[in-house]
DNA sequence: GATAATAGAGAACAAATAGAGAACATTCAA
DNA sequence: TTGAATGTTCTCTATTTGTTCTCTATTATC
């Protein structure tokens, strides 16, 4: 179990790694977490090592490794550090305030489930073949939402919703090679709304 | 059975755990449930321990463990049910075997972090303005990987990597309105590889 | 009314944590 | 080779925190 100081130390190391591409010195860590003593930092590092979060190469300068396989030791909060904003042509810009993403907030919820997407009908909305979408189960949706709809009780589809003033329901793909189709409202049953999306490149 | 105060205490601890990743101090619990006395909190903790809801590590600061069996409503491993595969024009197809997505496997790892993407340079790869990409920290990458690169030690960018036989490094945007640029290898420092992606529609 | 259970305040002490900084060993670059 | 920077091990101090008490108040029950 990490103390708050140890956690702070660990986060600083992660962030430093990202920005510089190499590990910080003990002095830099000390400054980064707001203390003066290298000895104290060393104590925190020893503790992080015994939690298998890092590996210390003895006596090496900047000899800290982040351990990839360490998730079992921080099991409780599904968070990942959010280090900043990346835009082409600029240095990575730090984000004040929010410094981590809580996956629980992001998607976990009793009324949510996942679907794996096949096909390219939502390609131009950034939803590609093989992606996973997180659906919030609900029977209504707003204009412009991306929804899971059941047509005639059988055919399921992922489309953007638009209701016309005359009552017709448009299900619009985000792919210029595919056509929007209009349905009578009673043929379309809304199953849920897309609230998130995941993609794995591994 | 628990008294109302004990229940309140237990809920506060659960919530604190989810948010911070470590246990609260007695003082924090006291404030959290609206009293002043650490001694009283300690009494509640003893009671929660004898109900096997928590374990107290004696004399440890923040030495409270939530007992997993008593905690079934809060999953330790964040998962979301994966209901099937959706393809335009077909019913939702069930997936045998895998029926839930483990978010910990998906992204959480000590050497991973998140970056928020600004701009449209990777649009055609389905990475849109505002998306969050999960980066695995590493200094090497394969041809075709989407990487975070530092150019001349300053400028950070998200591009697809291609190495030419003559040693030059191509950083290719996925946007037909932007141009691929070739760099001498010593100007490009690889910071990490994109291993995942999140998008929130909320 | 007596009794027990619940709630809370707060004092007193022991122990853990956070931090400073000295002293020495080791690296690493000039 | 040498010196500065860095890692490592210590001892010391202060503060916070956990723990155990005793005391008071309220409420419900017999």
């Amino acid at each position: 179990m990490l103390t708050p100081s140890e956690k702070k130390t660990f986060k600083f190391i992660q962030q430093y790694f990202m920005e510089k591409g190499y590990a910080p010195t003990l002095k830099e860590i000390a400054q980064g977490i707001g203390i003066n003593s290298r000895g104290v930092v060393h104590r925190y590092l020893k503790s992080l090592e015994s939690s298998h979060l890092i590996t210390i190469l003895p006596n090496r300068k900047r000899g800290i490794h982040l351990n990839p396989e360490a998730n079992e030791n921080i099991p409780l909060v599904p968070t990942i550090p959010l280090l900043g904003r990346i835009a082409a042509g600029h240095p990575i810009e730090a984000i004040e305030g929010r410094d981590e993403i809580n996956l629980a907030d992001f998607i976990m919820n009793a009324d949510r489930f996942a679907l794996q997407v096949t096909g390219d009908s939502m390609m131009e909305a950034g939803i590609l073949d093989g992606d996973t979408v997180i659906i919030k189960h609900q029977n209504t949706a707003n204009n412009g939402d991306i929804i899971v709809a059941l047509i005639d009780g059988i055919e399921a589809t992922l489309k953007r919703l638009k209701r016309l003033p005359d009552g017709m329901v448009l299900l619009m793909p985000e792919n210029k090679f595919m056509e929007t189709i209009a349905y009578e409202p009673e043929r379309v049953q809304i199953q849920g709304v897309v609230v998130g999306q995941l993609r794995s490149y591994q």
Side-chain angles (χ1 to χ4, degrees), chain A:
Chain A
M1 178 61 55
L2 298 187
T3 67
S5 299
E6 288 161 3
K7 203 155 206 172
K8 196 171 173 187
T9 302
F10 182 64
K11 280 186 183 172
F12 175 81
I13 296 170
Q14 280 190 313
Q15 179 140 8
Y16 192 100
F17 245 111
M18 172 52 212
E19 286 171 3
K20 311 268 184 163
Y22 46 82
T25 64
L26 299 210
K27 194 179 175 186
E28 287 168 334
I29 296 173
Q31 288 171 347
I33 64 174
I35 64 176
N36 289 316
S37 167
R38 284 175 294 150
V40 171
V41 171
H42 189 259
R43 209 162 61 212
Y44 293 158
L45 293 182
K46 278 293 181 192
S47 174
L48 289 175
E49 189 178 37
S50 69
S51 298
H52 302 109
L53 286 171
I54 63 172
T55 304
I56 301 175
L57 309 178
N59 292 319
R60 284 291 145 81
K61 303 194 174 183
R62 303 181 185 276
I64 301 171
H65 264 245
L66 291 174
N67 286 350
E69 68 289 347
N71 29 358
E72 66 199 71
N73 290 293
I74 356 174
L76 286 160
V77 183
T79 61
I80 187 166
L82 178 62
L83 292 196
R85 201 167 287 158
I86 185 171
H90 299 278
I92 289 174
E93 176 196 345
I95 298 178
E96 331 90 66
R98 274 189 62 196
D99 56 357
E100 55 181 27
I101 297 175
N102 190 326
L103 293 176
D105 290 350
F106 200 79
I107 27 180
M108 283 171 61
N109 234 314
D111 62 348
R112 311 215 171 162
F113 59 92
L115 287 177
Q116 199 172 307
V117 177
T118 305
D120 287 325
S121 65
M122 297 303 287
M123 198 174 67
E124 286 154 26
I127 300 176
L128 307 186
D129 189 39
D131 282 3
T132 301
V133 286
I134 313 297
I135 311 291
K136 182 180 178 193
H137 195 114
Q138 57 186 56
N139 298 317
T140 60
N142 297 320
N143 261 347
D145 284 352
I146 299 175
I147 63 168
V148 175
L150 206 58
I151 300 167
D152 300 330
I154 305 174
E155 188 179 321
T157 189
L158 191 70
K159 293 282 178 345
R160 196 178 292 279
L161 172 73
K162 187 169 187 182
R163 288 181 213 276
L164 294 183
D166 64 5
M168 290 293 277
V169 173
L170 292 188
L171 295 183
M172 310 189 298
E174 293 270 354
N175 183 328
K176 60 188 158 224
F177 301 110
M178 297 182 185
E179 283 182 7
T180 295
I181 305 179
Y183 294 91
E184 291 80 33
E186 55 274 16
R187 293 183 61 195
V188 178
Q189 187 184 343
I190 296 174
Q191 301 277 65
V193 178
V194 174
V195 295
Q197 181 196 330
L198 306 175
R199 184 182 303 153
S200 174
Y201 289 86
Q202 289 157 315

